[in-house]
Amino acid sequence: MAAAMAVQALYALQNGFMGFARAGLFYGEMSGERVQIPIPCYLIRTGETNILFDTGLSPRAVPGILRNDPLARFTDADLLVHRLDSLGLEAGDIDVVVLSHLHYDHAGGTELFRASELVVQKDEYAYAHYPAPFFAGFYYRKNFDLPEARWRLLDGDAELVPGVTVLRTDGHTPGHQSLLVELPQTGPVILAGDSCYWQEHLDGERVPGVVWNPTLALHAIKRLKTLARLLDATVFPGHDPEFWKTVKQPPDAYR
Ligand SMILES: [Zn+2]
């Protein structure tokens, strides 16, 4: 019984790459130099539940990004539906979608999962509908204007199923959340989302350049570092190109 409920596997799903300015990556940096960053989603399988962490870019947005961003790279295989298909899954097989936050590169594919429970912090959901002008370009209402969907609006940490726990890590946005996944062989993994773009954000306690509240963003980084130390967990940064080269890709998984 307990074994059936435990987490079985964590799959990394590549949803293409885009260019991003260093000034957007690191708070306080002025450099407009652009670097190529991966856009990841993750699938967690337990005995009875399929959980998706983030939904990447909207397929609708891909042609424009490919046209306007010389560092963008997006193949047919990068489409989230094709990544899921390669694992023998359809959108309807996803029970729960955890959205780290509602920026366009994390919530873009959400409309595919109207039948799933959509888990987001209530502060993020509220802010995304009425963002400040300096943040409006990151929130596309079409991505999350799904009033008929089953939204589960959280206020802080929550264990979703045994071994899968939402961790509130706001600062990058008003309601950012990360996900702790307790794997039987790999041990605990924390999917940081945009609370830590790169490993360098963890190691150097560097705040994202795109940030709603830099002080809270720093607290979130420190919180994840503390949890990782206490749990002996591995933190997966959200958009780290060097880290991404080392990540197991399907059909390989973290177990
Ligand atoms: Zn973001």
Side-chain angles (χ1 to χ4, degrees), residues 11-17 37-42 56 73-80 82-83 244-245 247-250:
Y11 292 91
L13 308 179
Q14 179 177 296
N15 188 239
F17 294 82
I37 59 171
I39 302 171
C41 306
Y42 291 92
R73 208 189 90 205
F74 201 97
T75 67
D76 206 41
D78 287 331
L79 275 173
L80 186 51
H82 292 163
R83 292 286 174 215
W244 194 246
K245 288 177 194 164
V247 170
K248 289 182 189 176
Q249 303 290 339

Side-chain angles (χ1 to χ4, degrees), residues 69-245:
D69 177 355
L71 292 174
R73 208 189 90 205
F74 201 97
T75 67
D76 206 41
D78 287 331
L79 275 173
L80 186 51
V81 283
H82 292 163
R83 292 286 174 215
L84 291 173
D85 185 55
S86 75
L87 299 174
L89 294 170
E90 296 178 6
D93 297 321
I94 304 301
D95 304 290
V96 179
V97 176
V98 178
L99 296 161
S100 63
H101 61 311
L102 296 174
H103 280 174
Y104 67 88
D105 56 328
H106 294 261
T110 306
E111 68 180 340
L112 291 165
F113 304 97
R114 290 162 190 267
S116 314
E117 182 176 62
L118 308 178
V119 179
V120 68
Q121 294 287 321
K122 78 173 167 83
D123 289 343
E124 183 70 15
Y125 188 79
Y127 188 84
H129 285 82
Y130 301 98
F134 66 86
F135 250 12
F138 292 93
Y139 290 111
Y140 284 79
R141 192 180 279 223
K142 265 188 185 171
N143 291 337
F144 47 80
D145 189 17
L146 305 165
E148 76 287 3
R150 280 187 298 137
W151 289 96
R152 179 175 173 189
L153 303 182
L154 298 181
D155 186 21
D157 296 354
E159 188 179 45
L160 300 179
V161 297
V164 182
T165 305
V166 165
L167 303 171
R168 174 89 178 220
T169 46
D170 50 61
H172 173 62
T173 64
H176 190 281
Q177 58 189 6
S178 303
L179 198 66
L180 169 63
V181 183
E182 296 169 76
L183 289 154
Q185 290 161 35
T186 308
V189 165
I190 298 173
L191 305 176
D194 282 1
S195 63
C196 304
Y197 280 150
W198 289 8
Q199 184 65 37
E200 193 175 338
H201 291 75
L202 278 169
D203 295 343
E205 299 186 353
R206 299 195 64 182
V207 167
V210 174
V211 68
W212 165 72
N213 182 319
T215 302
L216 292 181
L218 182 59
H219 292 176
I221 291 167
K222 291 183 178 187
R223 176 164 191 243
L224 290 192
K225 287 179 73 169
T226 301
L227 283 170
R229 180 168 52 79
L230 295 176
L231 299 171
D232 199 16
T234 308
V235 179
F236 284 17
H239 289 291
D240 189 327
E242 292 306 312
F243 166 76
W244 194 246
K245 288 177 194 164

